[in-house]
Amino acid sequence: MTPAPPRGPMPDLIDIEELFSDPQFAVPTISPDGTRIAYLAPAHGRRNIWIRGIDQTHDDAVPVTHDTRRGITTYYWTDDPRWMLYLQDTDGNEDWHLHRVDLDNPDGPAVDLTPMDPGSRVIGVEPLPSTPGSVLVWMNRRSLFFDVFRIDVATGKTTLHLEQAEPADTVLLDREGRPAFATALTPDGTVAISAIDPVTGDRGVLRHVGGAEHPMGVQPQQVTADGQGLLIGSYQDGDDLRLVRIDHETGEETVIAAVEGHDLDISGTMLPDVLPPAMYTDRRTGEILAARFVADRPHIEVLDPHFAEVHTALQKLSDGVLGTLSSDDSGQRWIATFVHDRDPGVTWFYDHTTGDARMLFRAYPNRDPNTMAPMEPVGFPARDGLPLHGFLTLPVGVEPRNLPLVLVVHGGPWFHDVWGYNPEAQLLANRGYAVLQVNFRGSLGYGRRHVTAAIGEFARAMHDDLLDATDWAVTQGYADPARIGIYGGSYGGYAALIGVTVTPDHFAAAVDYVGVSDLANFLRTLPPFGRPYFVNNWYRYVGNPDDPAQEADMRARSPITMVDRIRTPLLVAQGANDVRVVRAESDNIVNSLRQRGIPVEYLVADDEGHGFANPENRIRLYHAIERHFAEHLGGHHGTSPRP
C-alpha cells in the first residue's frame, strides 16, 4: 500500500463533545408483533429506553425508563406487550440486575426482579416459549455457580429451573427449556461435549473439542431449533473457525457455514450488547439465517433461502455491512443497522411483504460522514513471518507522509479490531494523526495458528508485532519515527505500559486506559467465579500465579517490575469500580512514578468500572488524551485553529 494523495480539503476540528456524547439513537429492535420500535436515546442525561409506533417519529416516542445515574445498554421485549426488561449495574461494577418496566405505565418505577447479594450478577436472559409470561435467567446466587432460574415477569416469582453441578460445566437448554447438551472443561483444557438424555437426564460424551485455540471457550454454543443438534465454532482439522453442528444422537459433526481463509466472527458472543452476532437467527423458530465471518470488511454468509431474499433487499439500503438485525415474529418486518467506517449507527426499516423501506434514524444525525476519515485494511508480515492484519485511518485533506502516528491497541487480548466506525480513530485522524490498529498474534479472527502463536508471548512476540506494525508505517512513509504514540484499554493498556518499559525509546507518548500493570495481581483479583475458565486463556497463555516459577515469569513481564524504565510521557485512566482490572493496577504505577518525581497524569472516575460509560467521563478522558498527544506528538488541539 502506497501513500495516497491528499483527499479533499482539511475538515474542521470536530468537538470532542460531539464525538463522545451518547448517540441520539442506538440499539433499535422491533416488537414481536411488529407494531412498535424500541431503542436507546438520551433522557435525563443518560441512555434510556424509548418506545414508538412503527409509523411514528421520535417526537411521538415515550421514554419508558428513567435512569439518571447510568445509561442502559441491554433490554428485552417479552411475549407480553405490557412488559419490557432491561439490565443495569451500579457505577460499572458489573453486578447486573434484571429490571421490569410497565409499558402501560411508562412513568412508573422499574422493578428489580433479581435482588441479590453484592458480587452476584445476571449474565443471560432468554424467552421460554413453553411457559408464556416467563423468562429464563442465568445468575450466580451461589457465588461460583451460574444456575438457571425461571422468572414470572408479571409477578416476579422466581423458581430454580436448573442447578449447575460444577462451576466449569454448562448445561445447554433447548427452546422449551429442557436440558439438551452439556459442556465441561477438562483438566487438559479440552471441552467435553455431552448429550443429555431427555428422559433419564443421563449424559453421554459425544466428543472432545477445543483447547488453547479457544481461549474464550468454545464459541458460540447454541442448541438447534429442533433440539437435536448443537451449533459451535470449531477449527476441526484446519486453521479456519467454522460453524458446525454436532448431532445429539451420533455426535457426527456437520459443517453449517465456512468461508475458506476466514474465521467465524465470535466477537459478538463476548460483547453481545455492543457487537453484531456470530449468527442471525429467526426470532420465532430459532432457525439459523446467516453467519458472520471476519474479513477486511465483515462477510455475511446467508444460510436460509427466505432470508437470502431479505438480505438482498437490505444490501440495497446501505453501502455498509449488515450489523444488528431484528424482526417481528412473522419474519416480514425488519429493523437493520449497518456497519460503516464513516457513518455510525444507520438504522433502516424494511417490510418484506410490501417492499417498503425507509431510514429510521442515524445515531448522530448532525454528523457529516464526508468529513470522517476512511478506515483502510492493511497487512504485513511480523518479523517471524506471521501474517498480520490491521487497519489504517489517515487524516482527511493532509498528505499522508511523515505524520505523527498513534498505535491503538485493542483489548482482550483475545479480541480483534474490525472495519467500522471508531470514534477514537476519528478523533485522532481529525487532529492530524495517522491511526494504526493491528491484530497482533493472539487476536481472534485470523485462524488457529494466529491465536496460539501468542502462547507465552506476553511482552515478547506480542509486543514485537506492535513494533513491527509501527516500523511498517514508517517504512511506507506514513509515520515520523520520532512521533509515535501508543494508546490502549485493558490489554491495550498493558501493551502501552510494556511499550514504555520494555522499549522506552520507541514511543514518544503513551496512554494506559484501565490497563494491567501486574499480571499476577491481576489474575488474583479477578472475580472468583471466572477462575475455573482460566485453563485455556490466562493460565495457558500467561501463567498461573499459584506456581512460584510461573509467578516469577509473570512478574518479569509485568510493567510494575520495570517501572523504573519509564521516562515516556504517560497518561493513566481508571474506573474506581473496575472488577476486571482493579484500581490498584493503575494506582501502583502512578504512585511509583510520582515517588520518583516522574510526571504522570492520572484520571480516576469514581462512578465507572472497566471503561467509561457516562458521557461526561468519556468527554473528560478524550480531552485529556487530545492534550497529551498534542503536547508530545505535535498533533492539533481542539481549542486551537488549524494552522
Side-chain angles (χ1 to χ4, degrees), residues 197-259:
D197 188 288
V199 178
T200 65
D202 293 340
R203 302 186 186 187
V205 176
L206 298 172
R207 59 177 56 242
H208 286 77
V209 298
E213 67 266 36
H214 294 280
M216 301 310 293
V218 175
Q219 299 288 350
Q221 297 180 18
Q222 181 172 315
V223 178
T224 56
D226 61 7
Q228 297 305 304
L230 178 65
L231 299 172
I232 65 168
S234 174
Y235 293 98
Q236 296 184 301
D237 57 356
D239 195 56
D240 304 331
L241 189 67
R242 305 162 177 170
L243 180 63
V244 305
R245 176 188 183 275
I246 297 176
D247 187 79
H248 189 277
E249 298 301 320
T250 66
E252 181 182 358
E253 199 170 281
T254 306
V255 176
I256 301 299
V259 178

Side-chain angles (χ1 to χ4, degrees), residues 239-510:
D239 195 56
D240 304 331
L241 189 67
R242 305 162 177 170
L243 180 63
V244 305
R245 176 188 183 275
I246 297 176
D247 187 79
H248 189 277
E249 298 301 320
T250 66
E252 181 182 358
E253 199 170 281
T254 306
V255 176
I256 301 299
V259 178
E260 184 69 26
H262 297 275
D263 278 4
L264 182 70
D265 185 355
I266 63 170
S267 53
T269 66
M270 295 180 282
L271 290 173
D273 310 325
V274 178
L275 298 176
M279 299 179 291
Y280 299 95
T281 59
D282 186 285
R283 182 179 200 159
R284 181 177 59 83
T285 68
E287 295 287 351
I288 304 301
L289 304 178
R292 189 179 193 86
F293 285 81
V294 176
D296 286 347
R297 283 172 54 120
H299 169 76
I300 309 298
E301 186 76 0
V302 176
L303 304 173
D304 177 84
H306 170 71
F307 183 69
E309 300 175 5
V310 174
H311 186 249
T312 297
L314 292 175
Q315 283 183 300
K316 298 175 182 178
L317 304 179
S318 171
D319 60 353
V321 178
L322 184 65
T324 61
L325 190 64
S326 169
S327 79
D328 61 4
D329 281 342
S330 72
Q332 296 301 305
R333 289 184 159 192
W334 300 82
I335 302 289
T337 67
F338 292 89
V339 175
H340 196 281
D341 61 339
R342 290 176 292 122
D343 196 2
V346 179
T347 299
W348 283 79
F349 168 79
Y350 169 67
D351 189 320
H352 192 58
T353 301
T354 65
D356 174 43
R358 62 184 185 273
M359 184 186 290
L360 291 177
F361 38 70
R362 296 172 60 232
Y364 295 92
N366 297 323
R367 190 171 301 171
D368 181 1
N370 294 319
T371 64
M372 298 291 108
M375 177 183 281
E376 299 294 339
V378 296
F380 40 84
R383 64 189 64 181
D384 64 356
L386 185 73
L388 300 177
H389 299 268
F391 299 91
L392 181 67
T393 305
L394 295 170
V396 174
V398 177
E399 182 181 2
R401 189 171 297 279
N402 208 39
L403 298 170
L405 178 142
V406 177
L407 179 69
V408 179
V409 187
H410 70 69
W414 303 285
F415 199 65
H416 63 95
D417 286 314
V418 297
W419 180 85
Y421 182 81
N422 183 308
E424 297 173 330
Q426 293 297 337
L427 169 67
L428 294 167
N430 181 255
R431 299 312 195 246
Y433 304 97
V435 183
L436 182 59
Q437 299 163 270
V438 59
N439 286 311
F440 48 87
R441 70 192 64 209
S443 305
L444 292 173
Y446 293 92
R448 185 202 309 252
R449 176 192 171 206
H450 189 274
V451 66
T452 56
I455 294 173
E457 298 299 337
F458 273 52
R460 294 170 183 152
M462 293 169 75
H463 180 56
D464 290 343
D465 290 348
L466 302 181
L467 302 180
D468 294 344
T470 60
D471 288 346
W472 170 85
V474 170
T475 301
Q476 295 293 311
Y478 296 119
D480 178 352
R483 295 190 294 161
I484 296 176
I486 184 170
Y487 159 65
S490 197
Y491 173 84
Y494 167 83
L497 293 174
I498 287 296
V500 299
T501 52
V502 173
T503 51
D505 297 322
H506 192 84
F507 297 100

